[in-house]
Amino acid sequence: MGWTYKREDAEKARAVGFRDAQRSFDFEYPWLTEPLTKQEIDIDLPPSLSCKGGLTKGQRQGFILILMLLGLSGLSQPELLLSGLSGVFWVLFSLLVLWRAALLAGGLALATKKTSDLAAYDLDLPIYTVMIAAYKEADVMPQLAQALRKLDWPDDRLDIMLLLEEDDSETLPAALHARFPKGTRIITVPNGLPKTKPRALNFGLARAKGEFICIFDVEDRPHPSQLKAAYAKFCHSGPELVCIQAPLIGANANRGWLAAHWSLEYAVQFRFLLPALAAIQAPIPIGGTSNHFRRTSLIDAGGWDAFNVTEDADLGLRFSRLGWQVQAINLGTLEDAPTTLRDWKAQRSRWIKGFIQTWLVLMRRPSLTLKQLGWRNFIMLQLTLGGAILAPVAHGPLFIVLLASVLVDQLSPGAAGWALLITGWLVTLSGDLAAPGVPLRGRLLGALTRIFYWPLHSIAAAMALYEMVTRPHYWAKTPHTPSMDTDAACSTGLLP
């Protein structure tokens, strides 16, 4: 099911290069070749770019062939197969460790530079749309309203849209009683499938008024000047810059073991890895919140894939395929990490499932993706997105092998294996210790016990693989409660 744009919106978007996008992707938007005579126009993300259809015929045949070859090799030459798989594993993970080390070094170098996000910008501020998709989030409506009231943007140029599902009878009364900024629009998203955040965002995109669009989650507490920082970045860049990512900051790192690890992961990802990727104009799987867009570029790219459960990563990589850029700013957004294993596992399995969906869409036509990205970006894409899939799958089995090797010498990974393990841990440790914004207690708790945290990712990966077969488009929702850590990141300088 598509979403609807007004005629004038499509005409404005066409002026910024739809035909270039069409040529890049080698498909046609049906409404591009028709005269704009209708009052409203329906737009669907082309099937080739959506994960709705699942595996292509060629992908299914390829996976079956690989499994058959592995099975036959295991029956005829088991030792040779094991040796070959070990060699492939060692090479792949050596590349991933080196890639992460390079990004960490680049991100650390960028972080040491004294730069201000609030450079000069056009004082004639445009309308800025802020969209928040919420479902059964009554408890956090007052906190969200308070955070949005603090945004430093003229009220008459701020278009806040709260997108609520039609069957959500809990959140609407709470939203109506919360003190949202004047002019906030509460929009009901009609019932339909899939019931996902990107579907709600697409519904909102068709009704957005702003020249620029920002996405926040319901639990977010953004820096008040974040919109001005993003706008300044847009003003000082060319039209090829279509998305700006603000860092997400775990505000509750001291609330438990899982929260400490999650907060460290976010600190490294958004303060080191993502800025380093942006600096070299590599493909970037953006985060699901605190990202800022040119509205016409969102329309141009086809909006979000409503069937992808990491619609953010998918959209960021689609931007790269179009030759567009994603950049980062420093002024961040506070979020709370999951504190229970159940919530952490649900969220992490959704992320891994979405990464798999995104990779499969990209690899439907590898030659086309390679042509669009070039060899350099294509390889970096595989290291970034492929690593985000392979590492969680391998962590658990590797941990079991290491434990078993203590009891059985024959299972020892050998000198090369131990060297790879220790190097990987030291690279991760260096990022954990250098990343800003995490209190000392949470930092040490996470950094020193990371090796016990990694195997949990394999449990989440197993759940993700199971859901890829049984319910690929199911959105595992993370519950939220009002935060008790609103001042947790003050010492970082990212928040006032």
Side-chain angles (χ1 to χ4, degrees):
M1 181 177 181
W3 56 95
T4 303
Y5 292 94
K6 299 295 184 182
R7 175 184 177 183
E8 57 269 22
D9 296 340
E11 290 176 331
K12 183 177 180 181
R14 171 183 282 191
V16 298
F18 271 175
R19 296 199 181 280
D20 291 338
Q22 175 182 322
R23 190 177 303 112
S24 176
F25 277 126
D26 194 23
F27 62 73
E28 289 188 356
Y29 287 100
W31 48 275
L32 274 180
T33 56
E34 298 175 358
L36 299 176
T37 56
K38 297 180 181 180
Q39 185 64 27
E40 294 185 341
I41 302 168
D42 292 331
I43 304 174
D44 280 313
L45 185 67
S48 62
L49 298 180
S50 173
C51 68
K52 179 181 179 180
L55 295 174
T56 65
K57 181 179 179 180
Q59 286 176 328
R60 288 195 298 269
Q61 292 175 341
F63 285 128
I64 291 173
L65 179 61
I66 291 172
L67 290 175
M68 290 177 59
L69 292 174
L70 289 175
L72 292 174
S73 300
L75 292 174
S76 59
Q77 297 288 340
E79 293 184 1
L80 181 61
L81 175 64
L82 183 60
S83 177
L85 291 176
S86 298
V88 170
F89 171 87
W90 194 90
V91 170
L92 286 177
F93 275 81
S94 295
L95 290 173
L96 293 178
V97 169
L98 291 173
W99 175 237
R100 186 177 183 88
L103 290 179
L104 282 174
L108 183 59
L110 291 171
T112 58
K113 296 181 179 179
K114 301 282 186 181
T115 58
S116 173
D117 284 332
L118 294 173
Y121 52 83
D122 186 356
L123 294 178
D124 185 17
L125 299 177
I127 296 177
Y128 217 117
T129 293
V130 175
M131 293 201 300
I132 307 100
Y135 185 59
K136 295 185 178 181
E137 297 285 6
D139 291 344
V140 294
M141 286 297 107
Q143 175 180 286
L144 175 62
Q146 181 184 32
L148 295 177
R149 288 198 307 270
K150 294 180 179 180
L151 290 177
D152 183 15
W153 199 266
D155 291 341
D156 62 339
R157 296 177 181 272
L158 190 59
D159 173 36
I160 296 177
M161 303 173 65
L162 184 59
L163 305 167
L164 304 181
E165 297 289 340
E166 187 176 7
D167 64 348
D168 187 359
S169 59
E170 306 170 10
T171 309
L172 179 59
L176 292 173
H177 284 88
R179 294 177 54 232
F180 280 96
K182 183 180 179 180
T184 296
R185 294 187 286 160
I186 300 177
I187 296 178
T188 301
V189 181
N191 285 331
L193 295 176
K195 190 182 290 293
T196 60
K197 173 185 172 183
R199 178 178 178 269
L201 293 179
N202 284 332
F203 191 81
L205 176 60
R207 291 150 181 81
K209 300 176 181 178
E211 181 180 345
F212 297 94
I213 290 178
C214 176
I215 309 301
F216 288 129
D217 282 344
V218 290
E219 76 275 22
D220 285 354
R221 287 92 72 197
H223 189 291
S225 298
Q226 189 180 122
L227 268 60
K228 284 188 174 179
Y231 180 58
K233 191 88 168 180
F234 279 124
C235 287
H236 287 267
S237 304
E240 68 280 358
L241 176 61
V242 298
C243 176
I244 294 172
Q245 176 72 63
L248 303 180
I249 306 164
N252 60 339
N254 284 340
R255 296 287 173 181
W257 186 70
L258 285 172
H261 280 284
W262 190 95
S263 299
L264 273 177
E265 286 179 311
Y266 262 43
V268 172
Q269 173 71 14
F270 289 99
R271 298 300 292 164
F272 292 153
L273 303 184
L274 193 147
L277 289 169
I280 60 176
Q281 299 183 16
I284 296 178
I286 60 177
T289 175
S290 302
N291 32 48
H292 302 250
F293 305 96
R294 297 185 192 271
R295 178 168 169 268
T296 51
S297 299
L298 264 181
I299 298 173
D300 199 334
W304 292 271
D305 182 1
F307 293 87
N308 192 314
V309 296
T310 54
E311 80 295 336
D312 40 12
D314 172 76
L315 181 59
L317 297 175
R318 204 183 320 147
F319 286 156
S320 295
R321 296 176 70 182
L322 285 164
W324 297 340
Q325 293 180 16
V326 176
Q327 292 292 330
I329 55 176
N330 294 320
L331 300 185
T333 298
L334 287 177
E335 279 198 349
D336 286 342
T339 55
T340 67
L341 182 59
R342 178 180 180 180
D343 293 342
W344 179 92
K345 184 178 66 174
Q347 184 188 70
R348 195 57 55 116
S349 65
R350 174 170 61 82
W351 291 355
I352 298 171
K353 180 171 67 173
F355 293 154
I356 296 172
Q357 291 173 330
T358 300
W359 186 85
L360 289 173
V361 169
L362 288 164
M363 292 299 104
R364 282 174 175 170
R365 295 178 62 186
S367 59
L368 176 60
T369 303
L370 175 60
K371 179 180 178 182
Q372 293 163 341
L373 295 177
W375 275 105
R376 170 184 174 272
N377 281 355
F378 185 82
I379 292 173
M380 289 192 292
L381 165 69
Q382 302 303 330
L383 290 172
T384 302
L385 184 61
I389 298 170
L390 286 177
V393 172
H395 281 321
L398 179 60
F399 186 76
I400 293 173
V401 169
L402 291 175
L403 287 180
S405 68
V406 176
L407 303 175
V408 183
D409 290 339
Q410 289 81 355
L411 294 177
S412 174
W418 281 111
L420 178 60
L421 173 67
I422 294 172
T423 302
W425 182 74
L426 289 175
V427 168
T428 302
L429 181 64
S430 64
D432 290 346
L433 295 178
V438 181
L440 181 61
R441 174 187 166 192
R443 182 187 303 274
L444 293 178
L445 179 63
L448 298 178
T449 62
R450 180 71 66 163
I451 194 170
F452 301 105
Y453 176 69
W454 283 335
L456 295 180
H457 291 71
S458 292
I459 298 175
M463 185 175 176
L465 292 171
Y466 174 76
E467 287 192 353
M468 278 292 296
V469 177
T470 59
R471 46 180 186 177
H473 310 305
Y474 169 72
W475 186 281
K477 186 182 179 301
T478 305
H480 302 109
T481 57
S483 176
M484 296 184 291
D485 302 274
T486 54
D487 298 323
C490 290
S491 63
T492 67
L494 301 181
L495 291 165

